[in-house]
Amino acid sequence: MNAFVKGNPDLCMGCRTCMVACVVSHTGRHIFELDPDDYTFNPKLHMVKTRAISVPVQCKHCENPACMAACPQKCIHMEDGTVFIDTENCIGCKACMEACPVGAIDMAPVSGVYQPDGKERYVANKCDLCREQSGGPACIRVCPTEALKLVSYEEIADTAQERRLAAAKANADGSLGAAAQAK
Amino acid sequence: MAKQLGAFVVGDSDKCTGCKACELACFTVHNQKSNGVGRTVGTVSVPVMPRLFLVKGETFSVPVQCKHCEDAPCLNACTKKAISRVDNQVIIDEKKCMGCKDCMMACPFGVIMLAQVYDRGKVLRQTTGEAVKGAFKCDLCAGREAGPACVEVCPHQALRYVDPVEERKEKMRRAAETLAITKTL
């Protein structure tokens, strides 16, 4: 099963360091030392702020990815627990963007590559869990409030098991069960 | 500057009944000015050629049309530069088209067709007498105030106009709210 990065809105303070780290990790450029006009900023996760919460949203690395099924170019692959986009053959058709229920996919320009009409080439852009970098997802490493973590299926399954056990115990101990009512 | 992406229309095979109202509306809108179609049924003097395709399989039916790709293979393939981006949409100028079919071969959705060009109800002809053929595809009813006609006429609301940037914002907002619900893990 695929793991994914999950933000906690209770801990997130909306500083967007995760977005910066994502760009640095994927472009390899030291953007703090550059003029903001000299680089394109296209993070693979996005900070969402509503009146009540702030939290970054990124790809859930679904087991049956709608994006992967929608791609006419067969650019989206699932390997080693990661759903990732091979942008080489991407045509920017937005089918994956439309298919994704999370809004995790964006279209980003490939800097310096132009189409005949002068517009930069745009391709799909989403979280790949920093699969080509060592040290795991950069967003998790840099978050100052530790609001991001990598969640595995095993962890979810273990938690579910614990919850079932707790629910059963509460049933056995408390007044909810049929046995308790019969007494 | 906020990112601008081309909008597009998508069909929902769960709702589509295959009635082809979308195809008729598409044809009518695109031939109103040049071929006088649309006042009565009797004004139809050219073949009904919609720019979207109602596709029927054994168990489904759904209209398929242009996605207005951001790195559009048709635009990249066109040697005549007859395909360009206008207001973020991919538009074919059939007057510039020389009928080379490169765009048709490039499109992975199969939504471009080559057809005879009609003007005022008559086949447009080359100097040799051969009919002029041009590439046609969805232009989101460019210039039509009410937006794409196919979306408007569908009796089952099976067609949806997608603004990818706005839809993504809404989906991310919902995902953020879900994270607030699942935060105890």
Side-chain angles (χ1 to χ4, degrees):
Chain A
M1 300 273 195
N2 306 333
F4 57 95
V5 176
K6 186 169 173 296
N8 184 339
D10 279 359
L11 297 173
C12 176
M13 56 180 185
C15 71
R16 297 191 169 106
T17 308
C18 49
M19 292 170 77
V20 174
C22 181
V23 171
V24 172
S25 173
H26 288 94
T27 61
R29 302 188 73 189
H30 297 278
I31 63 174
F32 289 113
E33 295 157 25
L34 296 171
D35 187 304
D37 292 337
D38 290 346
Y39 60 86
T40 53
F41 191 74
N42 291 294
K44 295 173 190 285
L45 80 175
H46 196 87
M47 177 64 65
V48 176
K49 296 188 187 187
T50 69
R51 210 175 286 176
I53 55 170
S54 71
V55 69
V57 169
Q58 61 274 83
C59 174
K60 302 294 291 288
H61 296 273
C62 306
E63 301 302 324
N64 320 302
C67 57
M68 195 165 90
C71 180
Q73 296 291 90
K74 308 271 176 277
C75 292
I76 306 184
H77 311 283
M78 190 153 67
E79 255 176 47
D80 306 327
T82 313
V83 177
F84 66 96
I85 302 174
D86 175 6
T87 55
E88 192 181 321
N89 292 323
C90 177
I91 56 170
C93 74
K94 296 161 286 195
C96 56
M97 196 174 173
E98 199 267 325
C100 175
V102 179
I105 307 181
D106 188 18
M107 295 289 141
V110 182
S111 57
V113 184
Y114 294 90
Q115 299 172 64
D117 66 343
K119 195 196 176 197
E120 271 184 312
R121 178 175 177 237
Y122 269 66
V123 294
N125 188 37
K126 78 159 192 74
C127 166
D128 59 3
L129 293 178
C130 292
R131 63 191 286 271
E132 283 171 357
Q133 288 81 30
S134 57
C139 51
I140 298 177
R141 278 183 278 137
V142 300
C143 178
T145 58
E146 295 179 8
L148 287 158
K149 66 172 182 173
L150 192 70
V151 179
S152 66
Y153 176 75
E154 288 69 28
E155 192 183 343
I156 298 170
D158 286 351
T159 306
Q161 194 180 24
E162 283 167 21
R163 286 176 181 171
R164 284 196 295 274
L165 191 61
K169 274 184 181 162
N171 186 320
D173 297 346
S175 57
L176 287 170
Q181 278 173 19
K183 274 178 195 167
Chain B
M1 196 187 75
K3 189 169 286 174
Q4 296 195 311
L5 297 176
F8 53 94
V9 172
V10 283
D12 182 346
S13 58
D14 287 345
K15 291 179 182 168
C16 176
T17 59
C19 74
K20 298 188 178 180
C22 51
E23 289 196 341
L24 279 178
C26 179
F27 161 74
T28 306
V29 164
H30 289 96
N31 287 283
Q32 238 153 14
K33 282 181 191 156
S34 54
N35 293 312
V37 170
R39 288 182 209 96
T40 69
V41 176
T43 60
V44 180
S45 55
V46 299
V48 177
M49 294 182 300
R51 294 169 185 218
L52 83 175
F53 303 81
L54 198 276
V55 180
K56 290 189 184 184
E58 270 180 26
T59 54
F60 65 88
S61 68
V62 70
V64 175
Q65 60 275 82
C66 176
K67 300 296 267 276
H68 296 267
C69 303
E70 300 304 320
D71 186 19
C74 59
L75 188 153
N76 288 316
C78 183
T79 44
K80 196 78 190 300
K81 291 196 194 300
I83 308 182
S84 59
R85 209 173 263 95
V86 182
D87 295 335
N88 299 316
Q89 305 305 139
V90 178
I91 303 291
I92 301 178
D93 182 351
E94 60 259 23
K95 290 190 187 72
K96 284 188 189 166
C97 176
M98 56 184 181
C100 76
K101 301 170 281 280
D102 276 341
C103 56
M104 260 183 101
M105 290 188 284
C107 177
F109 298 100
V111 291
I112 305 181
M113 63 164 182
L114 204 68
Q116 290 189 0
V117 180
Y118 287 82
D119 188 30
R120 278 163 282 178
K122 296 235 162 55
V123 180
L124 215 57
R125 297 200 181 274
Q126 307 173 46
T127 47
T128 56
E130 298 291 322
V132 171
K133 295 187 185 70
F136 293 93
K137 72 163 193 72
C138 164
D139 59 0
L140 283 185
C141 292
R144 188 173 185 268
E145 265 178 39
C150 53
V151 176
E152 195 182 331
V153 300
C154 179
H156 305 285
Q157 286 80 47
L159 284 155
R160 190 163 58 88
Y161 176 85
V162 179
D163 177 340
V165 176
E166 285 306 311
E167 279 206 4
R168 178 171 179 244
K169 275 186 201 163
E170 176 57 22
K171 287 193 278 193
M172 286 194 299
R173 193 188 57 72
R174 283 205 305 271
E177 282 169 359
T178 301
L179 284 167
I181 296 168
T182 62
K183 67 193 176 190
T184 52
L185 187 97

